[in-house]
Amino acid sequence: MKKKGRKWMTVICSVIGIFVLAIIGILLYYNKAFAEALDITAEMDKEGDDYYFHGDSNIGFIIFSGAKTDDRAYAYLAKLLHDNGHTAVIPKQLFHMSLFGTNHGLEIMASHPEIEKWILIGHSLGGMPVSRIAAAKPDQLIGVAYLATFVSVDLSDLDISAIRITAENDGIMNNEYMERYDDNLPENSVSIMLEGANHQGFAAYKSSSGRDGEATISWQEQNERSIQLILDFFDEQIRETASK
């Protein structure tokens, strides 16, 4: 009986060990950023673990990454915003899960009173924290930009603006699923689909899932077109805020 007891204890410990290792693997795994994005990140300032391009305007952007994606994969988006004179922040996310980044986003906003208004950008599941922040602090925002994601919180009664950009060849975020949440968009909102784009092309990484559709434009072009759409959409409000 004692031998059988030890045998079962060994089996149980082995199963627990495999389970723990699997959890650790899931927590530590993430989609790596391309070398081009890492080079840009090296030019950014760091405040704590967050990456910054400090601009001259009183407008700030915070970019929330998709789930299990290297935060640095969004460096080119940040550079494009900075090239237009704005501050751009990429928050470091615990275990690369921006889903839980709401409080950290609020902390970033509170720690930079020189920024008159913010525009939040969320890619994929990064749309969840930007929706929550918008609901909590609408008076501090010009608006929100959603990249291949859905509006998880009802923002329909808020005096902010929103642009949602989707990808024609997105194989990860289902368009029908996103459309279920259309009623949550603010009244002043617009939805635009990028032809030739895919899900991962909103940043600079290669998804290991293999589920994404094939893009017919480069990730650089997709980044550039996305930022131009965002800046054009918010242009009037940015100018009004900058003149204060």
Side-chain angles (χ1 to χ4, degrees):
M1 292 294 292
K2 290 183 179 180
K3 288 183 178 180
K4 287 184 178 180
R6 286 196 295 269
K7 181 179 179 180
W8 276 109
M9 183 59 68
T10 300
V11 171
I12 292 170
C13 289
S14 297
V15 170
I16 292 173
I18 292 170
F19 178 77
V20 170
L21 289 173
I23 294 297
I24 292 173
I26 292 170
L27 291 175
L28 296 181
Y29 160 80
Y30 62 96
N31 295 306
K32 306 295 193 299
F34 292 152
E36 297 94 325
L38 298 180
D39 289 341
I40 296 171
T41 308
E43 302 172 7
M44 301 180 74
D45 299 322
K46 289 200 73 177
E47 293 187 15
D49 291 325
D50 303 324
Y51 294 94
Y52 278 75
F53 273 129
H54 292 282
D56 296 326
S57 82
N58 57 353
I59 305 296
F61 290 79
I62 307 178
I63 305 170
F64 288 84
S65 60
K68 304 308 289 182
T69 298
D70 193 337
D71 314 302
R72 298 170 295 178
Y74 299 81
Y76 189 44
L77 291 176
K79 181 181 184 301
L80 293 168
L81 293 166
H82 182 248
D83 287 346
N84 282 271
H86 307 303
T87 292
V89 188
I90 305 174
K92 178 69 175 177
Q93 304 295 348
L94 181 65
F95 298 121
H96 302 282
M97 289 294 290
S98 61
L99 172 66
F100 306 111
T102 303
N103 289 337
H104 187 41
L106 292 169
E107 290 168 358
I108 290 172
M109 292 165 60
S111 64
H112 289 278
E114 74 278 9
I115 301 298
E116 185 74 24
K117 291 285 185 177
W118 295 89
I119 296 173
L120 308 179
I121 300 176
H123 174 223
S124 195
L125 286 183
M128 297 187 75
V130 303
S131 295
R132 293 167 181 162
I133 293 170
K137 297 291 183 179
D139 57 313
Q140 296 184 27
L141 304 182
I142 287 176
V144 181
Y146 293 97
L147 305 180
T149 187
F150 57 94
V151 188
S152 61
V153 176
D154 188 2
L155 308 179
S156 60
D157 291 332
L158 299 183
D159 185 22
I160 61 173
S161 302
I163 179 171
R164 182 177 62 186
I165 305 173
T166 59
E168 179 185 24
N169 302 321
D170 194 331
I172 294 176
M173 184 63 73
N174 184 281
N175 281 328
E176 291 183 4
Y177 181 79
M178 286 187 284
E179 289 169 0
R180 294 180 196 172
Y181 296 87
D182 279 358
D183 290 343
N184 286 345
L185 283 163
E187 183 175 347
N188 183 28
S189 64
V190 63
S191 294
I192 300 171
M193 184 186 72
L194 283 183
E195 294 183 359
N198 67 359
H199 190 85
Q200 60 200 339
F202 286 110
Y205 71 99
K206 177 69 174 178
S207 174
S208 61
S209 71
R211 294 189 294 114
D212 203 5
E214 192 70 27
T216 58
I217 60 174
S218 68
W219 65 265
Q220 291 95 331
E221 181 179 350
Q222 187 168 332
N223 277 209
E224 291 160 6
R225 289 170 61 184
S226 297
I227 291 301
Q228 193 59 58
L229 285 169
I230 291 168
L231 291 175
D232 287 348
F233 177 72
F234 291 113
D235 180 65
E236 183 176 347
Q237 292 160 293
I238 288 174
R239 289 177 183 274
E240 288 177 357
T241 303
S243 65
K244 293 181 179 179

